[in-house]
C-alpha cells in the first residue's frame, strides 16, 4: 500500500472511530437492566448512560431524564465523562491536523518532510483519543461487573453491559488503528534521501601535489 493510500485509509478509520466514540458518549445504554438468575422480569427496562437514565415501557414508550447533579454522581461516571470529553477533543484536533499533513491535500506541499511530520502528529492525537475512549469504557464496564457480582447488590437492581460499551470498544479500536497508520508517515525516507543527495555531490576542493 502506497503512502498516500495508507494515510487515507488511516484517516478514514480514525474518523469513523471518532464518530463512533461521539455516538457512544451520547447513547444512554451504557448499562441496562439484568434479567439473569432469579431476577423478576418487569414491564419496564432501565438504561443508564453518562448523561441520562431512561425507562423503556413494554408498550414502546421511552422516558429519559438527565442526571440531576454532577457532584452526586458516582466517581466512575464522572471519570468516564471526563475521559470521553478529552477523547472527543483530541480526536477533533486530530481530524484537523491530519488533513493538513496528508499527502492528498495541497496544504504545505512545498515541504514534504514537515507535512509528513504533521500527519504523524495527527496520528498521535488519534491514538491518544482511542486510548482515552478505551479507558473510559473499560472503567465503566469494570464497575458494572463489580456491582453485578457483588453480594450486596439486590438481584433486581443488577445491570449488565449496554450497547454503548461495545460501540465504545469498537470506536477505540478503529481510532488507534487509524492513528497507527497515520504514524507510518514518519519522514525517515525523506531524510535518508536528502542525506544521500548531499553525500553524492562532487567535492569542490582541489588537491595540490
Amino acid at each position: 500500500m502506497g503512502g498516500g493510500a495508507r494515510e487515507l485509509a488511516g484517516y478514514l478509520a480514525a474518523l469513523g472511530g471518532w464518530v463512533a466514540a461521539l455516538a457512544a458518549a451520547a447513547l444512554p445504554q451504557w448499562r441496562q437492566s439484568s434479567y439473569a438468575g432469579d431476577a423478576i422480569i418487569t414491564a419496564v427496562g432501565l438504561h443508564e448512560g453518562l448523561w441520562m437514565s431512561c425507562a423503556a415501557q413494554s408498550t414502546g414508550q421511552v422516558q429519559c431524564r438527565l442526571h440531576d447533579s454532577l457532584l452526586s454522581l458516582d466517581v466512575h461516571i464522572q471519570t468516564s465523562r471526563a475521559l470521553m470529553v478529552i477523547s472527543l477533543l483530541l480526536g477533533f484536533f486530530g481530524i484537523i491536523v491530519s488533513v493538513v499533513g496528508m499527502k492528498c491535500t495541497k496544504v504545505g506541499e512545498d515541504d514534504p518532510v514537515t507535512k509528513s511530520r504533521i500527519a504523524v502528529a495527527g496520528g498521535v492525537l488519534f491514538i491518544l483519543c482511542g486510548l482515552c475512549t478505551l479507558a473510559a469504557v473499560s472503567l465503566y464496564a469494570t464497575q458494572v461487573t463489580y456491582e453485578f457480582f457483588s453480594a450486596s447488590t439486590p438481584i433486581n437492581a443488577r445491570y449488565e453491559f449496554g450497547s454503548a460499551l461495545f460501540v465504545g470498544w469498537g470506536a477505540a479500536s478503529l481510532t488507534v488503528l487509524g492513528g497507527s497508520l497515520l504514524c507510518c508517515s514518519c519522514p525517515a525516507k525523506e531524510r535518508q534521501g536528502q542525506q544521500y543527495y548531499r553525500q553524492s555531490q562532487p567535492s569542490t576542493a582541489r588537491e595540490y601535489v
Side-chain angles (χ1 to χ4, degrees), residues 42-172:
T42 62
V44 180
L46 301 179
H47 304 274
E48 290 189 7
L50 298 180
W51 313 100
M52 65 180 68
S53 57
C54 298
Q57 305 286 340
S58 59
T59 57
Q61 183 180 5
V62 179
Q63 296 179 346
C64 295
R65 186 184 66 177
L66 295 174
H67 294 313
D68 297 330
S69 174
L70 173 63
L71 299 179
S72 64
L73 294 175
D74 294 335
V75 176
H76 72 281
I77 298 180
Q78 298 184 29
T79 307
S80 297
R81 271 187 176 186
L83 287 172
M84 289 304 296
V85 171
I86 294 173
S87 171
L88 294 175
L89 289 176
L90 289 172
F92 176 76
F93 290 119
I95 292 173
I96 298 175
V97 173
S98 298
V99 168
V100 176
M102 290 174 62
K103 296 178 181 178
C104 58
T105 60
K106 299 296 183 181
V107 181
E109 60 182 353
D110 296 335
D111 191 353
V113 176
T114 303
K115 191 175 178 66
S116 297
R117 290 173 179 171
I118 294 175
V120 172
V124 171
L125 288 174
F126 276 128
I127 292 176
L128 294 176
C129 168
L131 292 178
C132 287
T133 302
L134 179 63
V137 175
S138 300
L139 175 63
Y140 197 97
T142 301
Q143 185 64 26
V144 172
T145 305
Y146 172 78
E147 293 179 356
F148 182 86
F149 290 104
S150 177
S152 61
T153 303
I155 295 178
N156 291 329
R158 293 178 179 177
Y159 288 87
E160 294 185 356
F161 295 166
S163 57
L165 294 181
F166 299 100
V167 174
W169 279 317

